[in-house]
Amino acid sequence: MASRRTNGRRSSGRKIGYAVVGLGHIAQTAVLPAFAHAKNSHLVALLSDDEDKREKLSRKYGCDAYSYEQYEDCLGRDEVDAVYIALPNTMHAEYTVRAAQAGVHVLCEKPMATNEADCRRMIGACDDAGVRLMVAYRLHLEPANLEAIRVVKSGRLGQPRFFSSDFSYQVKEGNIRTQAELGGGPIWDIGVYCINAARYLFRAEPAEVVAFGTRDSDQRFDAGIPAGMSCLLRFGDEQLATFNVSFQAAATATYRIVGTKGDLCLDEAYEYQGEREMVVTVDDDPRTRTFRKTDQFGPELVYFSDCILRDVEPEPSGEEGLADVRVIEALLRSVDDGRPVRLPPFKRHARPEPRMKMRRPPVREPEPVHADSPVAE
């Protein structure tokens, strides 16, 4: 299955050309600088409706810039083999489908979409067009999280029994993460990390979920968006996962997995800045390991470009994105209905493996143009 953009590309040795769609904070501070660490990839176009962003960033990176109305013009360029979609959550499906219809491969930020139907539409469009679809799960290539997977798979902790996690920060007023029409709310923005981690550590899919959302008068959030949620996922008869996410609490990003013989705790587990600390405790003997800061976005580009060039399915495929979205939808139904929600069986054969580990040096974060961090000072 090869798109018209990459036929013969493997033998030619040419790089995969990307258009980055959406120039928000993460795109400017992490994705664009990461091309310096992706030797099989290069940046050929930018898309934004902000004229100042287009002018300044196209000059800085030496590439053309387009408005969203010019999306098809950009996709039609021979140099554009793939898009990196970094738009608000509710726009992922439309821009993925349009790229696929133009024969362009898609690397889409998570969450993949805001409902299961859109995920399936994205998968179908890419399959029909013969293009590759990858969801940007950067932790599937990140050394600390892959080491956690290795430790669990080794049996050192015994049989894994329960997973717990906290992920939170104070969100800025007016940020898109507070807006219902753009797919806002902590379960979509940060809860997806906790769900994904539980799934790749247990190597399984949840069968039943229950959740509670906070109800308060915080004016930062649109009606219907819980500012915080506490969630419980049942993985079969012997494995449980719990996590708390919030946009109105102090910053946390930690998970712990406990087995029959020991436990593993990873601090700063989900962040793309700073170091991570892992503590593995077996027989009351804690061992601590520190993982230095790395670029987590360069490896995504390298990996996806390699999948395109070799014409193979990426591990965090559209199916992986769908697996998390179906869980999030069930958790939100649980909040609304006040009861547990059972999930139909879901088979997932490919999961992140320790051999996928990829290290790149950290990037120097540039000063963004009209793109504030979502975190309140």
Side-chain angles (χ1 to χ4, degrees):
M1 183 178 74
S3 93
R4 62 180 176 83
R5 301 305 177 88
T6 50
N7 286 333
R9 184 63 59 87
R10 183 178 182 182
S11 59
S12 72
R14 290 174 58 193
K15 298 180 179 181
I16 297 299
Y18 284 81
V20 174
V21 186
L23 299 177
H25 188 266
I26 196 167
Q28 291 192 43
T29 60
V31 178
L32 297 183
F35 279 93
H37 294 152
K39 301 306 181 185
N40 61 356
S41 316
H42 67 129
L43 178 65
V44 297
L46 304 169
L47 280 93
S48 173
D49 263 356
D50 186 314
E51 185 177 354
D52 199 30
K53 287 182 181 179
R54 293 199 302 269
E55 179 183 342
K56 292 180 178 178
L57 294 172
S58 65
R59 186 168 61 247
K60 177 176 181 177
Y61 289 100
C63 62
D64 292 333
Y66 299 81
S67 69
Y68 295 144
E69 290 184 352
Q70 299 171 309
Y71 190 39
E72 270 67 28
D73 292 338
C74 176
L75 295 173
R77 288 181 53 184
D78 288 341
E79 300 91 339
V80 176
D81 302 304
V83 290
Y84 190 117
I85 295 177
L87 294 164
N89 300 335
T90 50
M91 299 171 70
H92 290 179
E94 176 193 346
Y95 280 78
T96 293
V97 170
R98 288 165 66 183
Q101 290 171 343
V104 173
H105 304 278
V106 179
L107 176 52
C108 181
E109 265 298 340
K110 58 201 165 304
M112 180 179 175
T114 52
N115 59 72
E116 185 174 342
D118 274 351
C119 291
R120 294 191 183 279
R121 185 160 64 95
M122 295 161 73
I123 293 169
C126 291
D127 284 347
D128 290 345
V131 299
R132 295 298 176 185
L133 169 61
M134 174 172 151
V135 183
Y137 287 102
R138 52 185 167 78
L139 300 182
H140 287 212
L141 303 165
E142 192 272 324
N145 279 272
L146 291 177
E147 175 62 12
I149 291 171
R150 189 196 67 78
V151 171
V152 173
K153 289 185 68 176
S154 74
R156 188 175 169 192
L157 305 181
Q159 294 297 314
R161 290 293 188 239
F162 62 87
F163 167 97
S164 59
S165 184
D166 297 306
F167 197 7
S168 58
Y169 62 86
Q170 289 284 356
V171 73
K172 280 184 179 174
E173 186 173 1
N175 187 267
I176 62 171
R177 291 160 180 81
T178 67
Q179 301 170 33
E181 65 179 10
L182 296 177
I187 191 64
W188 291 110
D189 186 59
I190 54 181
V192 66
Y193 287 91
C194 305
I195 296 165
N196 200 254
R199 291 178 49 249
Y200 61 63
L201 290 170
F202 281 145
R203 322 299 282 180
E205 302 299 324
E208 187 175 18
V209 303
V210 64
F212 299 92
T214 59
R215 293 180 172 85
D216 51 53
S217 57
D218 193 324
Q219 297 301 308
R220 286 178 293 179
F221 302 94
D222 285 354
I225 291 185
M229 287 179 62
S230 290
C231 306
L232 172 63
L233 284 60
R234 181 173 65 81
F235 291 77
D237 294 331
E238 296 184 321
Q239 295 176 328
L240 296 171
T242 61
F243 66 87
N244 304 299
V245 290
S246 178
F247 277 162
Q248 54 177 193
T252 60
T254 300
Y255 67 65
R256 180 187 299 271
I257 185 161
V258 180
T260 53
K261 297 179 181 178
D263 70 272
L264 178 153
C265 181
L266 184 60
D267 195 27
E268 301 300 317
Y270 310 116
E271 298 291 353
Y272 65 90
Q273 299 168 323
E275 295 182 336
R276 281 162 230 349
E277 184 178 271
M278 178 185 293
V279 180
V280 177
T281 304
V282 179
D283 295 329
D284 295 323
D285 180 20
R287 301 291 178 92
T288 301
R289 180 177 174 183
T290 299
F291 294 80
R292 65 184 183 273
K293 178 181 178 180
T294 62
D295 172 15
Q296 296 180 16
F297 293 81
E300 284 186 312
L301 296 169
V302 171
Y303 176 76
F304 188 51
S305 292
D306 186 57
C307 288
I308 294 170
L309 291 166
R310 294 190 297 116
D311 195 24
V312 297
E313 183 80 352
E315 178 277 311
S317 63
E319 186 183 71
E320 179 72 359
L322 167 63
D324 284 335
V325 169
R326 67 193 287 272
V327 175
I328 293 174
E329 284 196 287
L331 289 166
L332 290 171
R333 285 199 301 273
S334 176
V335 171
D336 289 342
D337 298 345
R339 61 174 179 81
V341 174
R342 291 188 62 85
L343 286 160
F346 187 85
K347 295 290 186 181
R348 182 76 180 111
H349 301 292
R351 299 189 188 276
E353 299 289 348
R355 58 179 168 75
M356 295 173 63
K357 177 173 59 180
M358 198 181 302
R359 286 190 176 91
R360 292 294 185 274
V363 299
R364 183 187 298 273
E365 290 191 12
E367 187 66 29
V369 179
H370 301 176
D372 291 338
S373 166
V375 181
E377 300 295 334

